[in-house]
Amino acid sequence: FFQEIRNPPRQLPSPITFHNPKLRNQIMAPSSSSSTRCRSLLLITLLVSLFSPVGKDAPVVLALDGSEVLAPPWRNWRVVNDNVMGGVSTSAVKISNDQLNFKGNISFDNNGGFASARMDDDARDLSDYQGLLVHYTTTQAVDVKAINMQVYERFPQIGFGGFRPRSFSAAFVVVPTTELQTFYMPFDRFRGTNGFTRPDATSRFTPSQMLRMGLQVSFQLGEFDVTLQKIEAVSGIQDCIPPSIYATGCDDMTIAEYTTLAKDVLKKSNYGAGSLYPNAGAALMQYALACAVMSDDNNTSTQALTQLEEAQRANGDLNDNSVLESMLNSLTSDSPKATTEIDSSPAAKTKLLSKLFGC
């Protein structure tokens, strides 16, 4: 069983999809001449590639820029909420016009605090890509939320309920706006758990083993509402600063409020061995630092730029919650600020913020 999981059978390269079982048997049948078989298979591969329709049966859809579109189509997403452990949080998934709406309400009653949705298996080899880019909209009626994007590997691990696919998560920040937004999550920032209630700080997601995706809102009280337009795997992205940073995203909460929300998420998801979902807190603090950089207050902006530049010089991990919290505490403290000459041009801000968000 484990040998099959770790060495899954080779699949025919996409986009071949055999809609005719008889044709498939003819192609895969043994041949007395290997060279004849190879030529026949190559010819049929080319014909199928040219004339096979792209739709729900096509395993891979390539965007014009070379990125791989993972959704739509949205493959039978289903909800899993904290009622499995006695909680009363709610959520629902609705798919319409090639868009997926995920909305609900998080409650801490009965020791609950999460809502999630997961898709059917859709195994992919994403080794040619560096991360996921989520395209989404939301509404003006909801509060800021960090939503975990979960990815599952074909490698199993033991956890609640027995053996199940290994999961990793990163997070994207949703702020109240009606404008189309994007958020980039690099694969090297996805973090996993041990299958129970302990984080796994050492393991990393293996893009070639991607099995399926999911969404989760954890330990953030109140309503959420997000509509996903598209999820794609991307590489070589140069500017990954969330567009909302330049719009209204920094008007909804102060830097201190973002920091407080991040700390609450990290605290509530800590069952004694560290936060189960550290990237939810990290995403909120990264967003707060970006808002500080873009602040109209010149002193706040300069201090934030200084903190980021110093962290970069020291090779600090800009996805580490302790590093991020230290920088934010320095910004919000009442202690005198050091005066440092620093390049605060738009180009310099873009460069530092791109590093902050992982590209």
Side-chain angles (χ1 to χ4, degrees), residues 215-236:
L215 299 169
Q216 185 184 65
V217 182
S218 296
F219 306 106
Q220 299 166 78
L221 193 65
E223 296 182 352
F224 63 90
D225 187 345
V226 61
T227 298
L228 302 188
Q229 313 287 328
K230 181 168 63 173
I231 303 173
E232 56 185 333
V234 296
S235 60

Side-chain angles (χ1 to χ4, degrees), residues 235-302:
S235 60
I237 189 168
Q238 299 297 317
D239 182 356
C240 57
I241 304 170
S244 55
I245 292 290
Y246 300 104
T248 61
C250 297
D251 299 334
D252 299 292
M253 294 200 305
T254 66
I255 296 169
E257 288 171 334
Y258 271 110
T259 307
T260 298
L261 177 59
K263 290 179 179 178
D264 286 346
V265 172
L266 294 172
K267 181 179 179 180
K268 292 182 185 300
S269 63
N270 186 341
Y271 291 89
S275 172
L276 277 178
Y277 306 107
N279 277 322
L284 288 165
M285 287 193 281
Q286 288 159 353
Y287 204 95
L289 278 167
C291 286
V293 168
M294 301 304 293
S295 172
D296 293 331
D297 183 337
N298 186 62
N299 184 60
T300 298
S301 178
T302 300

Side-chain angles (χ1 to χ4, degrees), residues 303-354:
Q303 291 300 319
L305 285 168
T306 302
Q307 293 282 342
L308 285 173
E309 191 171 84
E310 290 177 351
Q312 186 173 331
R313 283 202 201 104
N315 293 319
D317 184 354
L318 295 179
N319 197 53
D320 182 273
N321 283 294
S322 60
V323 173
L324 294 167
E325 186 176 339
S326 176
M327 289 192 284
L328 286 167
N329 286 340
S330 176
L331 289 178
T332 57
S333 68
D334 294 327
S335 58
K337 310 296 183 183
T339 56
T340 306
E341 289 293 331
I342 190 168
D343 184 359
S344 59
S345 66
K349 290 181 178 180
T350 297
K351 182 179 179 181
L352 285 172
L353 289 182
S354 292

Side-chain angles (χ1 to χ4, degrees), residues 30 106 108 115 121 184 265 349:
I106 302 300
F108 295 158
D121 291 355
Y184 174 66
V265 172
K349 290 181 178 180

